[in-house]
Amino acid sequence: MTALVFDCDGVLADTERYGHLPAFNATFEHFGLPVRWSEREYGEKLKIGGGKERMASLFADPAFAAAVGDADRTELLLTWHRAKTAAFKQLVADGRIPPRPGIARIIHAALDAGWTVAVASTSAEESVRAVLENAVGPNRIPVFAGDVVPAKKPDPAIYELTVERLGLDRADTLVVEDSRNGLLAATGAGLRCLVTVNDYTRAEDFTEAALVVSELGDPGRPPVEVLANRSAARPGDCLTLDDLRACLEEPR
């Protein structure tokens, strides 16, 4: 049985620019922290896997550390991150973070075809489930997320866990990612990977990807842009299940 495993942020929806960044900044403002991330600064923070880990990087600035004081950093980060997750979920509930093109179409088609579909992300599970439900409606799609593994992407742990828990055949499993960290996590677990880029990740190195496209696409939208293809897929205006299955094959 073919399996399709999605990352969440930047794949199911453009969550970084329209969700996580404003949620982080709202949290900083709420707690009176002396920091606001610009889009450019946040783009650099995306090289760090995990929201708590991005927040923890603030302590590398002596001025920030001094402003916060001697409170327990672990407790502070947990408190800040809980508030940030709540702010993010509210943005999803308010319809501020629509799904990326093709996500609902492909997921429903895969489920109807009897494929295994899952989501594997190192973001907070609450946030991932909110984005997934917003994209495809109520569902029973398994989600592996948050601190369920000790190491964040590019470590392959989240994908290794997904393969183990679902009993997947690596040769028949395709991962959909949007970043180099995610790509390395997938390939490090021995999985083929399709990349749908976004504005933050478009210039990254995706040499190991089977297929790199601008989006999955939907009928009536502009044609999908193919940025690199090292698979047997031959995409048309939008990707189909046949294209995704062909990503598991070597070029003919």
Side-chain angles (χ1 to χ4, degrees):
M1 181 186 296
T2 305
L4 193 55
V5 183
F6 291 86
D7 175 40
C8 176
D9 295 315
V11 172
L12 298 181
D14 192 359
T15 53
E16 301 295 5
R17 185 183 308 275
Y18 301 114
H20 290 296
L21 174 57
F24 275 120
N25 282 337
T27 301
F28 299 152
E29 182 175 3
H30 175 76
F31 287 99
L33 303 178
V35 61
R36 298 292 181 277
W37 284 336
S38 67
E39 287 193 1
R40 182 189 61 79
E41 289 169 329
Y42 188 61
E44 289 298 311
K45 293 295 181 183
L46 288 177
K47 296 175 182 177
I48 303 170
K52 288 193 295 291
E53 290 77 5
R54 289 171 199 154
M55 285 179 159
S57 72
L58 292 168
F59 287 99
D61 178 0
F64 179 87
V68 171
D70 296 328
D72 184 279
R73 290 184 181 183
T74 299
E75 286 301 317
L76 283 177
L77 288 168
L78 288 172
T79 299
W80 297 343
H81 195 253
R82 279 194 294 267
K84 181 261 171 184
T85 297
F88 178 87
K89 288 175 63 180
Q90 189 60 54
L91 289 170
V92 175
D94 291 344
R96 302 280 295 276
I97 314 173
R100 290 195 69 186
I103 287 296
R105 175 179 61 83
I106 286 290
I107 288 179
H108 286 302
L111 292 172
D112 289 345
W115 291 22
T116 297
V117 177
V119 176
S121 168
T122 44
S123 291
E125 183 175 348
E126 289 179 73
S127 297
V128 174
R129 290 192 180 278
V131 172
L132 178 60
E133 183 164 338
N134 185 61
V136 302
N139 63 86
R140 295 185 177 180
I141 294 171
V143 170
F144 302 92
D147 295 326
V148 69
V149 290
K152 308 288 186 177
K153 300 174 185 177
D155 191 285
I158 191 68
Y159 286 117
E160 291 173 343
L161 178 69
T162 302
V163 168
E164 177 187 349
R165 291 278 181 87
L166 298 180
L168 303 181
D169 179 351
R170 293 175 198 268
D172 210 21
T173 299
L174 181 68
V175 171
V176 185
E177 272 285 358
D178 72 309
S179 69
R180 178 153 184 80
N181 276 352
L183 169 63
L184 292 177
T187 57
L191 303 172
R192 299 271 283 178
C193 187
L194 158 67
V195 173
T196 57
V197 299
N198 57 58
D199 289 344
Y200 281 121
T201 66
R202 190 180 182 95
E204 293 183 2
D205 177 9
F206 296 116
T207 302
E208 300 86 352
L211 179 65
V212 184
V213 293
S214 54
E215 59 180 64
L216 296 178
D218 270 323
R221 284 184 57 79
V224 165
E225 182 182 359
V226 178
L227 303 176
N229 190 358
R230 304 175 189 89
S231 73
R234 295 295 178 264
D237 288 351
C238 58
L239 271 66
T240 65
L241 288 190
D242 286 342
D243 293 319
L244 270 59
R245 189 179 291 108
C247 286
L248 297 171
E249 304 170 11
E250 296 295 334
R252 299 187 182 96

